[in-house]
Amino acid sequence: MQRAHCRGPGGLRRLRSILLLPGGGGQPADEGSVRLGSGKTLEFVSVQADPDDVLWHISTSRPLPALLEQPSKLILNRERRLSLMRYHTVLHVLNTMALRDYDGWITGVQIATDYSRIDIKLEGFSAALCAELERKVNAVLNGDHAVTSYYLPEAKFHKRDDLLITLAAKLPVSQWHVRVEEIQGFDAQACGGTHVNATSEVGRFSIFRTEKKGKMNKRLYVRLDPAVPPVVSPA
């Protein structure tokens, strides 16, 4: 069971609910705020998990003693979270495609809101291969695969070689269970981050820059088209 605390300069307070997450799988932590019954707002710039599974919400201001037991509302920066979710999901598709079709192992990843990058240990990389990889990833995204998550006992997880696709990755373990993210009909892998509900929510993907990082490692910079807001029918 995870617990949440708020920590700021010179003080800390416990929160009864959890909304913001500490990130995982290369995804940075959430940002947001808490609005107190008094009208005061505390901004959260990060969330960190400690070894005891306590989530520390890092505030820009000190949580004063007078705030104890006040009703409050946790507010997530939803636009930022959505962007991270879209990028995290497309990187799952990309690393699976690189491994299955080109024997390319992922050695590192960094997820951001405007673009992301991924490092792949891959031989024979070329502009043609890059274009082919981009085309294949977009085909999967257009397939509208449902994206779900679940937990497996560690012992059961380690019997499945298909669930770990990143070299030297730290497993997302909680209470001796490993969190798995599955893109139905495509792949499943260990992951501690957040994702969209279906691949069609990601949007169009492109590789806009590549770098050579050592003899075999290639760094790909990827970008998504802006999210299209849902159409709301008039009342």
Side-chain angles (χ1 to χ4, degrees), residues 137-146 184 198-200:
V137 169
N138 278 313
V140 174
L141 299 179
N142 292 334
D144 196 23
H145 300 267
Q184 293 182 11
T199 58
S200 59

Side-chain angles (χ1 to χ4, degrees), residues 121-211:
K121 187 178 181 181
L122 181 64
E123 287 189 86
F125 187 80
S126 65
L129 187 152
C130 185
E132 184 176 83
L133 188 56
E134 183 178 299
R135 188 165 55 251
K136 289 181 177 181
V137 169
N138 278 313
V140 174
L141 299 179
N142 292 334
D144 196 23
H145 300 267
V147 182
T148 58
S149 62
Y150 51 88
Y151 284 86
L152 287 178
E154 281 191 82
K156 187 174 182 180
F157 172 86
H158 287 295
K159 291 179 180 179
R160 291 184 55 181
D161 295 335
D162 61 309
L163 293 179
L164 187 61
I165 300 182
T166 304
L167 290 177
K170 182 180 179 181
L171 291 179
V173 179
S174 178
Q175 302 292 317
W176 303 284
H177 284 68
V178 180
R179 188 173 185 271
V180 174
E181 199 74 29
E182 180 172 352
I183 300 175
Q184 293 182 11
F186 180 69
D187 92 313
Q189 56 184 281
C191 181
T194 58
H195 294 263
V196 295
N197 294 316
T199 58
S200 59
E201 297 176 15
V202 172
R204 185 180 178 279
F205 152 86
S206 62
I207 301 170
F208 69 92
R209 178 182 168 191
T210 65
E211 290 179 357

Side-chain angles (χ1 to χ4, degrees), residues 18-22 30-33 44 47 55 57 75-76 81:
I18 295 172
L19 176 64
L20 279 64
L21 300 176
D30 282 331
E31 296 178 0
S33 61
F44 293 137
V47 183
L55 299 183
H57 292 54
I75 302 169
L76 171 70
R81 164 79 80 81

